[in-house]
């Protein structure tokens, strides 16, 4: 469905015709641009937009099916950018991602949103309050949407860092993270980091192209060359996010290894204790077994103090073994 459709000239929103073709013609004539926002459009709904703006069929297919990696595609008449906004849900400590596709061309911007994690409404409102920025044309929309998505990545990274610190405190607590759910929580957190990385990692190349740095020094069509410093700033923020994600992934792997090592040490301690008690139980069992063989000629068998002596010997050996195992930390 079409969420919003507006014509912008000199950074201000103006009323225009409802027909998309007339709106595009008026925007180009007036030296402005038209911005159309759609939310999970059907194929039939998108056919009109495709026809009026001459969008490439491959990009249209990606926009309709969604589930795309962040990428930047340049076609003859338009630019196609895919972003994956990320939402952190504090109630469940879950990370979920949506998708935003932008078609950029001469005199038009088409944004397609999938899922709920989208900053488009807030971006449009903010741009309409900054006429100087909005007056830069479609490039301003491209920059503002990219900047909003990446800035929210920083907030999500901060939330995940807090969750990681809680996991660290649990694993390295005095009980050593003995809860059965600890390993499950660590693994679930690692999956959240992986979901986050799928959104942030592939976006590095598109933003590098938009910033026209390194091997992409020639710039990108339909993007104002004066906007390069702004995209470099967004790219710097994304680099910080990716470094943070890399750090989170390494730390959570180290925490999982530490937790498994603690569990292994705890099991070894338990086995030592069991072995020590088994050894202490084996000594009196052995002595009692020997004197229970009912042979006639056995040492001290008919001695009056034989029974108390054997009991005393068992007790002495038990005390000796207990002190030995206790001094070695087995008990």
């Amino acid at each position: 469905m079409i969420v919003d459709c507006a014509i912008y000239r000199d950074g201000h929103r103006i009323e225009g015709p409802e027909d998309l073709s007339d709106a595009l013609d008026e925007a180009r004539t007036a030296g402005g641009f038209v911005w159309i926002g759609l939310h999970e459009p059907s194929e039939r709904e998108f056919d009109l937009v495709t026809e009026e703006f001459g969008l490439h069929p491959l990009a249209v297919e990606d926009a309709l099916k969604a589930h795309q990696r962040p990428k930047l595609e340049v076609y003859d008449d338009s630019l196609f950018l895919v972003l994956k906004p990320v939402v952190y849900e504090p109630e469940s400590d879950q990370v979920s991602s949506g998708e935003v596709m932008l078609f950029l061309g001469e005199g038009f911007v088409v944004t397609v949103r999938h899922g709920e994690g989208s900053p488009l409404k807030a971006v449009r409102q903010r741009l309409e309050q900054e006429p100087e920025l909005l007056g830069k044309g479609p490039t301003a929309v491209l920059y503002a949407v990219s900047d909003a998505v990446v800035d929210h990545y920083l907030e999500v990274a901060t939330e995940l860092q807090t969750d990681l610190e809680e996991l660290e405190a649990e694993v390295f607590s005095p009980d050593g993270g003995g809860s059965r759910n600890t390993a499950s929580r660590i693994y679930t957190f690692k999956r959240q980091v992986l979901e986050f990385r799928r959104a942030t990692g592939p976006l590095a190349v598109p933003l590098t192209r938009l910033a026209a740095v390194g091997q992409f020094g020639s710039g990108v069509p339909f993007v104002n060359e004066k906007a390069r410093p702004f995209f470099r700033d967004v790219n710097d923020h994304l680099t910080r996010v990716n470094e943070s994600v890399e750090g989170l992934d390494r730390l959570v792997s180290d925490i999982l290894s530490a937790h498994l090592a603690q569990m292994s040490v705890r099991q070894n301690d338990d086995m030592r204790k069991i072995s020590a008690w088994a050894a202490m139980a084996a000594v009196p069992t052995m002595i009692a077994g020997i004197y229970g063989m009912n042979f006639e000629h056995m040492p001290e068998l008919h001695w009056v103090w034989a029974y108390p002596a054997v009991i005393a010997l068992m007790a002495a050996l038990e005390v000796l073994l207990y002190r030995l195992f206790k001094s070695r930390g087995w008990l």
Side-chain angles (χ1 to χ4, degrees), residues 198-211:
R198 287 172 180 167
T200 64
L203 186 57
V205 173
L207 283 182
T208 302
R209 293 179 63 186
L210 290 172

Side-chain angles (χ1 to χ4, degrees), residues 8-24:
Y8 296 92
R9 183 177 59 193
D10 297 329
H12 297 280
R13 180 171 180 151
I14 62 175
E15 297 297 330
E18 296 182 359
D19 183 79
L20 296 181
S21 180
D22 294 340
L24 179 59

Side-chain angles (χ1 to χ4, degrees), residues 272-285 318 321 325 331:
R272 281 203 299 258
K273 291 178 181 179
I274 293 173
S275 299
W277 286 112
M280 292 173 63
V283 171
T285 301
E318 290 295 295
L321 289 174
F325 293 143
L331 292 174

